[in-house]
Amino acid sequence: MQVCLPCNEIQKDSSLALLANKWKSGDLKILHLGDSHVQIGHFSGEIKRLLQAKNSGIHFPYPLAKSVDGRLFKTKASGHWTGVSVLKPASGINISLTGYAVSTRDTSANIQWIAKDSLLSFRRVRVWTESDSCALTPDLGPFFQVTQMQQQGNLRFIDFESSLPLNQFTLQMRRNAPMQDQFTLHGIELISSEKGIEYVDLGVAGAQFTQLKSRANLVVDQVRALKPDLIICSFGTNEAYNLNWDARLYERSLIQFSQELKSLLPQSVFLWTSPPDTRSQKRVPRYQNQLVQLLSNQAFPFYNLNAVMGGFGSSYSWVKRGYFLKDQVHLTKEGYQLQAKLFVLALLKSWGDQASLEPLLDQVNKQIISGNIPN
């Protein structure tokens, strides 16, 4: 199996290394954006586990926007909802970091959120919506009380707290003023009072970075509200197969995005990752190598997952080991977990955490050797 362990490091990581003290003190906040490799949750979920991050994060009722349920919650909706995503041109509904939004004018509409893990419980829930005088007010039922409300540009969040730990709730709306007649949801966030690493992962299946940049008009407001120390961007798979991909537009967009947020959050560090090597329906990703080269030429820290996998064409050896699904674009759970372990190893190297390196490296070596060969 082709895995390049000597390649497994983050290039130009001097700014990333400055976060080492935050990592060691457990006071690090990470925002991870990407495409389906992130939304599916196996890759990002394993990163979260390895970093021992708090059980928090932003979640969304994906089926209402014609996508699959998230990793943590199963959702059931009633009433009339309109779902949109960055995959289609502007619809008149604002979109934030999730890359999705659902909106309603039906005051009887609601969304039930049920934790998939019966052992998961929470007391504090943050609802992300819009700072609009015409917006209906969210309500989580009699067990929750509002503890705070904050506004950032055109976004606002409302914090609810329960006196008892719960594993489900129902989001509904109420009208507090005659002009209130609509509600747009940008996600709910579980808030933990415990100290520890925060890791927020948000992906959109099928998305390209320029779609998020051009169509998610509330991204900047939400990033400013979240104030992440590290922003990881994992895009490129869909661009690599796009015959109309424009390298100059792509480079200009990612530089503008980075510079705009950097001007607002100068302490935040950007880390871009390359797309993995894939072969969608046996098609060769025409722009894969060009994308990798473009990203490696930028000034920000860069993780070359493509090279770590073994380079162009290496996915064939991963397929033989059972680490890819039949589409040869998405990996199995074990394949994503191996990629996550490799990525976290590179992070630990940048942060000089030798104590955590060796046991994780041992796990990686065992998985590379044993593989996941299907029956």
Side-chain angles (χ1 to χ4, degrees):
M1 179 176 175
Q2 294 180 336
V3 174
C4 180
L5 288 177
C7 306
N8 194 44
E9 60 184 13
I10 295 171
Q11 302 170 20
K12 291 166 283 198
D13 67 346
S14 57
S15 59
L16 185 63
L18 297 176
L19 299 178
N21 288 336
K22 280 184 167 289
W23 156 249
K24 292 170 184 175
S25 66
D27 187 31
L28 183 68
K29 188 166 189 176
I30 301 171
L31 172 63
H32 193 169
L33 305 175
D35 48 30
S36 59
H37 299 302
V38 175
Q39 182 179 345
I40 288 170
H42 297 317
F43 177 58
S44 49
E46 182 70 353
I47 293 173
K48 186 172 189 174
R49 185 187 73 83
L50 292 169
L51 295 179
Q52 299 179 38
K54 296 190 293 186
N55 203 359
S56 55
I58 296 176
H59 308 278
F60 191 82
Y62 294 103
L64 287 179
K66 298 182 179 179
S67 191
V68 296
D69 256 323
R71 183 175 70 251
L72 205 63
F73 283 100
K74 179 179 180 180
T75 56
K76 297 179 181 179
S78 67
H80 178 73
W81 293 90
T82 299
V84 297
S85 77
V86 294
L87 299 180
K88 294 183 179 180
S91 61
I93 298 176
N94 295 320
I95 297 176
S96 65
L97 276 174
T98 59
Y100 296 92
V102 290
S103 186
T104 187
R105 291 181 179 273
D106 181 358
T107 54
S108 65
N110 65 63
I111 304 172
Q112 187 178 9
W113 300 75
I114 306 167
K116 291 183 176 181
D117 183 351
S118 59
L119 297 179
L120 172 66
S121 64
F122 46 83
R123 293 190 177 192
R124 299 175 63 197
V125 177
R126 176 170 292 173
V127 177
W128 290 89
T129 180
E130 296 185 19
S131 54
D132 188 331
S133 60
C134 294
L136 294 163
T137 301
D139 191 326
L140 300 190
F143 293 107
F144 286 93
Q145 301 296 321
V146 174
T147 57
Q148 76 162 328
M149 183 184 303
Q150 289 191 21
Q151 179 174 331
Q152 180 67 64
N154 292 316
L155 262 182
R156 67 170 172 165
F157 63 76
I158 303 170
D159 286 355
F160 295 83
E161 187 166 352
S162 168
S163 58
L164 299 171
L166 302 171
N167 66 358
Q168 62 178 288
F169 62 91
T170 299
L171 169 65
Q172 48 201 342
M173 276 69 64
R174 52 186 169 82
R175 180 183 283 122
N176 291 337
M179 77 284 289
Q180 293 180 339
D181 65 351
Q182 62 182 350
F183 178 79
T184 300
L185 178 68
H186 296 290
I188 65 102
E189 183 177 2
L190 298 186
I191 305 296
S192 172
S193 58
E194 297 177 2
K195 184 179 179 181
I197 305 296
E198 292 186 60
Y199 176 82
V200 176
D201 56 306
L202 296 168
V204 179
Q208 301 178 47
F209 167 71
T210 49
Q211 293 171 326
L212 183 75
K213 169 72 170 58
S214 63
R215 297 174 185 171
N217 55 320
L218 298 181
V219 161
V220 173
D221 288 341
Q222 196 165 17
V223 174
R224 289 180 69 184
L226 289 171
K227 297 181 178 63
D229 302 298
L230 174 60
I231 302 173
I232 305 170
C233 294
S234 296
F235 294 91
T237 294
N238 300 298
E239 289 88 337
Y241 290 97
N242 179 6
L243 299 182
N244 297 316
W245 182 68
D246 186 327
R248 287 181 294 182
L249 172 62
Y250 193 79
E251 183 172 30
R252 187 163 62 248
S253 295
L254 65 87
I255 291 174
Q256 288 175 348
F257 182 75
S258 303
Q259 289 180 342
E260 180 178 12
L261 291 182
K262 194 72 175 174
S263 67
L264 299 170
L265 300 168
Q267 303 304 315
S268 295
V269 176
F270 278 87
L271 168 59
W272 289 73
T273 73
S274 81
D277 186 65
T278 60
R279 291 295 181 273
S280 175
Q281 299 175 344
K282 298 184 179 180
R283 292 180 298 151
V284 175
R286 177 180 294 188
Y287 295 113
Q288 182 173 282
N289 285 344
Q290 191 175 347
L291 267 161
V292 173
Q293 189 60 50
L294 184 153
L295 290 168
S296 67
N297 287 340
Q298 305 308 312
F300 39 68
F302 172 59
Y303 179 71
N304 193 344
L305 173 60
N306 201 282
V308 174
M309 286 182 66
F312 193 78
S314 60
S315 61
Y316 291 118
S317 69
W318 286 63
V319 169
K320 289 180 180 178
R321 281 298 183 97
Y323 284 141
F324 268 91
L325 298 179
K326 289 183 178 179
D327 64 10
Q328 294 190 28
V329 172
H330 302 103
L331 287 80
T332 61
K333 180 178 180 179
E334 293 79 10
Y336 278 123
Q337 288 177 338
L338 175 55
Q339 289 188 344
K341 289 183 177 76
L342 289 163
F343 178 64
V344 172
L345 270 176
L347 284 176
L348 295 176
K349 286 181 186 178
S350 293
W351 293 331
D353 189 348
Q354 287 297 129
S356 302
L357 271 172
E358 290 189 10
L360 183 54
L361 182 58
D362 184 55
Q363 292 179 41
V364 167
N365 282 321
K366 286 180 179 178
Q367 193 170 352
I368 292 171
I369 294 169
S370 64
N372 182 43
I373 302 174
N375 294 326

